[in-house]
Amino acid sequence: MKVLKYIFWILYRIWFYIMMAIPILIMFPFLFLSILKETWYPYFFMMARIWAKCILIGMGFNTKVVFEQHPEKGRSYMFVANHTSMIDIMLMLSIVENPFVFVGKKELAKIPLFGFFYKRTCILVDRSSPKSRMEVFERAQKRLKQGMSICIFPEGGVPDESIILDEFKDGAFRLAIEHEIPVVPMTFYDNKKRFSYTFFSGSPGQLRAKVHHFIETKGKSEIKKTLKTEVRTLILNELQNDSK
């Protein structure tokens, strides 16, 4: 029985990368055209959402999302969530309709095919380089001025499996305060269970998420640390209560 589980997990991981590639190959000409101009990004984002939903369905995941508040069309936001899995990207894209730009680690740009579009549409960060972090901040500011939203996983990476929620970095909250855009906290409950970074793990099933009430930042220029703590506490309490 244990051998069958390992075989399933190996095939399941291989299938994940196949599912990542198939929609990209099908939509490649349209995806390529959509990245030729920054102003065409909303068209790329629309196709990225289709790509994400295809992967979630193909992996046997069904999503259940609770909205305490819905984003307004045409408004910029800072979307933040706990980070536990590669499918966090797909789940975020499937939930949020407002075009946003990911701030993510540069290592993902090495994934064949996916990386080609990832490095041309996302804001990549080398977390070991202070210069890279500053450049990320400048690029994110530019995107916000263009009317886009930003998505950051504020833990700064995927924590160890034993950690429920790692400490948050300042970047997302600093950007939100400087541009006076609402922070949208989101909790992903099942991504670690369904498809963690541990190779021999995962299974089809439900992915639950909650979009919490937004936290306004207008006129709150001195609350970066308080805001960061408030958002982390909110998500942490959700995860702890869910595990009881």
Side-chain angles (χ1 to χ4, degrees):
M1 188 68 180
K2 197 170 184 180
V3 173
L4 291 176
K5 280 187 176 181
Y6 280 105
I7 293 172
F8 168 78
W9 284 327
I10 292 170
L11 294 175
Y12 199 51
R13 292 279 158 168
I14 294 171
W15 179 243
F16 172 71
Y17 288 103
I18 292 172
M19 284 305 306
M20 284 183 68
I22 290 173
I24 295 177
L25 290 170
I26 292 172
M27 297 189 292
F28 190 89
F30 306 103
L31 288 166
F32 184 79
L33 286 172
S34 70
I35 65 173
L36 295 179
K37 289 185 179 181
E38 281 191 354
T39 53
W40 293 349
Y41 181 80
Y43 300 107
F44 174 85
F45 182 79
M46 179 179 65
M47 288 182 280
R49 295 193 72 223
I50 295 171
W51 168 81
K53 291 179 180 181
C54 286
I55 294 172
L56 295 179
I57 292 170
M59 293 295 290
F61 300 133
N62 63 87
T63 59
K64 181 181 179 181
V65 185
V66 174
F67 285 89
E68 292 185 341
Q69 189 173 349
H70 286 269
E72 297 175 20
K73 189 175 180 180
R75 190 177 182 189
S76 294
Y77 297 92
M78 176 62 68
F79 296 100
V80 299
N82 53 309
H83 197 15
T84 59
S85 167
M86 282 186 69
I87 59 171
D88 294 343
I89 293 173
M90 294 78 180
L91 186 57
M92 183 69 75
L93 283 166
S94 73
I95 293 171
V96 179
E97 295 180 6
N98 294 50
F100 66 79
V101 178
F102 276 112
V103 173
K105 56 185 181 181
K106 67 173 187 176
E107 289 80 5
L108 292 181
K110 297 177 183 178
I111 299 175
L113 203 56
F114 167 82
F116 176 84
F117 291 102
Y118 178 80
K119 66 185 176 184
R120 287 165 174 81
T121 57
C122 299
I123 300 171
L124 307 191
V125 58
D126 178 357
R127 301 193 188 279
S128 64
S129 167
K131 181 182 177 183
S132 174
R133 291 198 298 270
M134 182 56 66
E135 289 172 349
V136 163
F137 197 81
E138 291 170 357
R139 289 188 63 194
Q141 285 183 316
K142 180 181 177 183
R143 285 301 206 173
L144 286 168
K145 288 175 182 176
Q146 293 172 342
M148 298 292 168
S149 294
I150 299 292
C151 175
I152 297 178
F153 296 106
E155 290 167 276
V158 178
D160 186 85
E161 291 280 319
S162 61
I163 298 173
I164 296 177
L165 188 67
D166 212 344
E167 294 300 320
F168 281 5
K169 310 296 184 186
D170 291 338
F173 309 100
R174 180 183 164 195
L175 274 167
I177 290 170
E178 287 200 8
H179 290 270
E180 297 187 325
I181 59 173
V183 174
V184 182
M186 301 170 67
T187 302
F188 295 164
Y189 300 95
D190 305 305
N191 293 16
K192 183 187 290 187
K193 175 184 176 182
R194 294 297 173 204
F195 203 78
S196 76
Y197 274 86
T198 300
F199 189 87
F200 293 108
S201 66
S203 65
Q206 190 171 75
L207 299 176
R208 295 168 298 140
K210 180 183 282 188
V211 180
H212 300 279
H213 287 295
F214 307 164
I215 301 174
E216 295 290 341
T217 60
K218 193 170 183 178
K220 299 180 179 179
S221 59
E222 302 299 325
I223 64 161
K224 180 178 68 177
K225 187 174 181 180
T226 305
L227 177 62
K228 179 176 70 171
T229 302
E230 180 183 355
V231 174
R232 184 180 182 275
T233 301
L234 173 64
I235 296 174
L236 180 61
N237 286 342
E238 282 289 324
L239 294 170
Q240 289 176 331
N241 291 334
D242 186 65
S243 63
K244 289 179 182 179

